[in-house]
Amino acid sequence: MDNGNEMRDFLVSRRARITPEQAGLPAYGVNRRVAGLRREEVALLAGVSIDYYTRLERGRAAGASDSVLEGIARALHLDEAERAHLFDLARAAAPAAPRAPRRPASQQVRPSVRRILDSMTTTPAYVRNARLDILAANRLGAALFAPVLASPARPANNARFLFLDPAGREFYADWERQAQDVVAMLRTEAGHSPHDKALSNLIGELSTRSEHFRTWWAAHNVRFHRTGTKRFHHPVVGDLILTFEALDLAADSGLRISAYSAEPGTPSDDALKLLATWAATVDAAAPAADGS
C-alpha cells in the first residue's frame, strides 16, 4: 500500500466528519465547499501552520513530531485506535535505517499455549494472528467456530469467511456490524504493519472479490478489538449471545487468544453447555467412525 495515500485519505476522512460547531469554531458562511473542517481550521486547532498541515495531508509525514501528531489527533477528535493509527502512518513515512533482511517471524502456536487452550474446557477459545487466521482452537472453540474452520483454505481466516463464504451471513447474526469491525481491524493492522505481504495479499483478495469490503475499506475506519458481545446462529445449538475477551500473548508478537463466555443462567449459557456435550460426543464417536 502507498503510505502517502493512506495518510492523506485518513486525514481527509477524519476532518470530513467534524463540523466547525463540534470543533468549537464559528461557522462563517452558509455555503461551505467541503464537508466538515477545512484544512486551515484543522491547522488552527492543531497549532501548526496551514502549509505544514497541508504537507501532512499530502502524505509527507516524515519527521512529524509526536507533539504535532498529538495536536492533530486532538483537533480531529481521534479516539484511541485512530490516534494510534495516525502515529503508525507517520512512523511508516519515516525513512528506514538500512539493515539486513529479516526473516518473517514464525507464528506457530507453542505447546504451552495449546495446553492453556485445552485447559479451558467450558470456554470456547482460539489463537489467531493479526490477519485473523485461526491457528489453534480448543474443543469448544472448534465446535463453536465449526462453520469457519470448515473452510477448505488453510489456515482458516475469519475475514475470508465473512466476506467470501455465504455461510458467514448465517453464522454471524449481526453480519454487517461484524464485517465492518473486521475491516476496521485489518485497516488498523495495515497501518501498523504496512510491509506485511500476506496481509496485503489478503486485503487485495477481499477488495477484488467483495464490493462490501471495498466500500468499507475506503471509509478508513480503524478499531481496537479487545472486548465486546457477538451474536451467533450456530447450525447445531441455534442462537447464542457471547461476550469475548482478546488476550495478547506477550511472548508471541501478533498472536492473541480470543475467549468467549455466556452470561450464567441465560439461554446462551444453556446452548453453550449443549454445544460442549455435542462436541464431546462427536470426539468420542470419531475413533469408531475411523474404524479404530
Side-chain angles (χ1 to χ4, degrees):
M1 295 180 293
D2 186 321
N3 187 262
N5 289 341
E6 291 295 312
M7 174 67 86
R8 178 198 65 204
D9 293 344
F10 179 66
L11 290 175
V12 169
S13 70
R14 297 310 93 172
R15 70 177 169 89
R17 68 182 184 174
I18 301 176
T19 65
E21 292 82 2
Q22 289 172 324
L25 296 173
Y28 295 116
V30 177
N31 297 318
R32 292 173 62 90
R33 294 192 302 171
V34 297
L37 295 177
R38 298 185 176 108
R39 285 177 178 171
E40 56 266 30
E41 291 169 332
V42 178
L44 173 66
L45 292 166
V48 299
S49 70
I50 177 60
D51 288 341
Y52 189 84
Y53 177 75
T54 299
R55 195 179 81 189
L56 287 178
E57 199 169 277
R58 287 175 177 169
R60 306 207 307 266
S65 67
D66 286 358
S67 61
V68 166
L69 297 175
E70 289 285 6
I72 292 171
R74 288 193 301 271
L76 295 177
H77 297 189
L78 302 188
D79 63 21
E80 183 186 2
E82 292 168 331
R83 176 191 171 279
H85 188 61
L86 175 65
F87 274 72
D88 283 339
L89 293 176
R91 290 190 195 99
R99 60 184 179 184
R102 186 174 59 181
R103 297 180 63 184
S106 173
Q107 290 197 310
Q108 300 297 316
V109 179
R110 293 178 291 115
S112 61
V113 175
R114 290 182 180 273
R115 289 194 296 271
I116 291 171
L117 277 182
D118 292 339
S119 71
M120 302 164 71
T121 56
T122 62
T123 301
Y126 63 82
V127 175
R128 69 163 177 83
N129 61 22
R131 295 187 298 274
L132 309 184
D133 296 328
I134 297 178
L135 305 180
N138 63 11
R139 174 193 277 174
L140 195 49
L144 176 61
F145 288 93
V148 184
L149 296 172
S151 169
R154 286 292 176 269
N157 180 277
N158 206 32
R160 284 194 185 93
F161 176 73
L162 271 160
F163 286 100
L164 305 181
D165 192 327
R169 290 178 179 268
E170 299 176 12
F171 181 60
Y172 287 104
D174 291 329
W175 180 86
E176 185 167 327
R177 189 189 76 171
Q178 175 67 15
Q180 291 191 37
D181 282 348
V182 161
V183 174
M185 291 161 63
L186 291 178
R187 172 67 78 177
T188 302
E189 181 58 23
H192 184 65
S193 304
H195 306 299
D196 185 331
K197 182 173 175 55
L199 176 62
S200 296
N201 289 344
L202 173 63
I203 292 167
E205 177 188 359
L206 296 174
S207 297
T208 301
R209 299 178 62 187
S210 170
E211 182 178 356
H212 280 103
F213 185 89
R214 285 195 303 275
T215 300
W216 291 329
W217 183 258
H220 285 266
N221 292 326
V222 292
R223 193 166 302 153
F224 290 144
H225 206 61
R226 296 166 173 164
T227 186
T229 301
K230 292 185 182 181
R231 296 175 60 229
F232 302 94
H233 182 74
H234 194 274
V236 175
V237 298
D239 295 333
L240 301 102
I241 301 174
L242 303 178
T243 300
F244 74 88
E245 299 291 337
L247 313 170
D248 288 330
L249 294 173
D252 301 297
S253 179
L255 299 189
R256 61 172 43 179
I257 294 176
S258 292
Y260 292 77
S261 65
E263 188 72 24
T266 62
S268 293
D269 186 32
D270 293 338
L272 203 55
K273 292 174 181 174
L274 178 61
L275 184 63
T277 301
W278 174 80
T281 302
V282 169
D283 283 355
D290 292 341
S292 38

